[in-house]
Amino acid sequence: QNGICSRGLLATIQPNPNDTWIVSSDKWAVSTLIAGPYISIPLNRFTLDARLLAGPARAVMPATLVSGYVGDVLLTRRTSSSRSTSTAYGGGLSVRYRLGCTTAIQLNGDYTQSAFQFNDLVSESNGSNGQFERMNYRADRLVRTINVSAGFVFLFGNRNRPF
């Protein structure tokens, strides 16, 4: 889960430097369940693993609230939350170095990408002077993730495998 950049939300309002503004939001959430072909290539003590991945993805765009004063007028802007589904695509690579017959160290890298379309979003602005504005819109978001990990590996069932 990731938060919202408050400076980006305030940039749409262009407040004066002396004004006080409050920005609040929930967090972005993206979930994927991906699977695909996997190949493992042994090279002496090293093993190279490569994979291609695809599967369903789900994202939640958070609701936001920005409020502050422009002169003596309190301005409030709310945006609705929305959910979207998409297909995630990606790939990965792992390098494993065998320390012994049953142990190894491993370095992993994966890249995943999903294109989400959020429909029926609502943005409402109102001021304490009675002004009110409502706007319906849609937003497209491309979400890319890079995951890097490393770890210690216990190898089971490798009794008959030579170094």
Side-chain angles (χ1 to χ4, degrees):
Q1 291 189 349
N2 294 307
I4 292 282
C5 176
S6 58
R7 276 188 240 145
L9 287 172
L10 288 175
T12 63
I13 296 172
Q14 302 173 347
N16 292 323
N18 298 331
D19 292 344
T20 302
W21 288 81
I22 297 170
V23 176
S24 64
S25 73
D26 296 327
K27 294 186 184 266
W28 273 93
V30 178
S31 303
T32 60
L33 177 62
I34 51 180
Y38 191 99
I39 186 169
S40 188
I41 304 167
L43 306 164
N44 295 326
R45 283 186 178 249
F46 287 95
T47 301
L48 181 65
D49 299 331
R51 55 199 164 273
L52 292 174
L53 307 165
R58 185 183 74 123
V60 177
M61 178 186 277
T64 62
L65 172 66
V66 179
S67 63
Y69 283 90
V70 176
D72 293 337
V73 177
L74 173 64
L75 177 67
T76 302
R77 179 179 291 167
R78 297 177 199 275
T79 58
S80 63
S81 176
S82 183
R83 297 175 188 272
S84 177
T85 58
S86 177
T87 301
Y89 301 98
L93 204 61
S94 296
V95 176
R96 186 170 43 254
Y97 178 75
R98 292 175 67 92
L99 299 172
C101 290
T102 59
T103 57
I105 55 174
Q106 185 165 312
L107 177 64
N108 307 299
D110 288 287
Y111 171 82
T112 307
Q113 172 177 306
S114 300
F116 294 100
Q117 184 177 30
F118 297 94
N119 296 313
D120 300 325
L121 294 167
V122 177
S123 177
E124 294 179 344
S125 298
N126 58 18
S128 58
N129 62 353
Q131 284 184 298
F132 180 80
E133 180 180 303
R134 180 184 174 106
M135 181 176 76
N136 294 344
Y137 65 102
R138 62 173 268 237
D140 297 326
R141 295 289 186 266
L142 182 62
V143 177
R144 298 177 177 138
T145 59
I146 296 175
N147 298 309
V148 177
S149 62
F152 190 73
V153 179
F154 292 102
L155 303 168
F156 299 101
N158 283 319
R159 207 174 331 165
N160 299 321
R161 182 180 169 154
F163 256 55

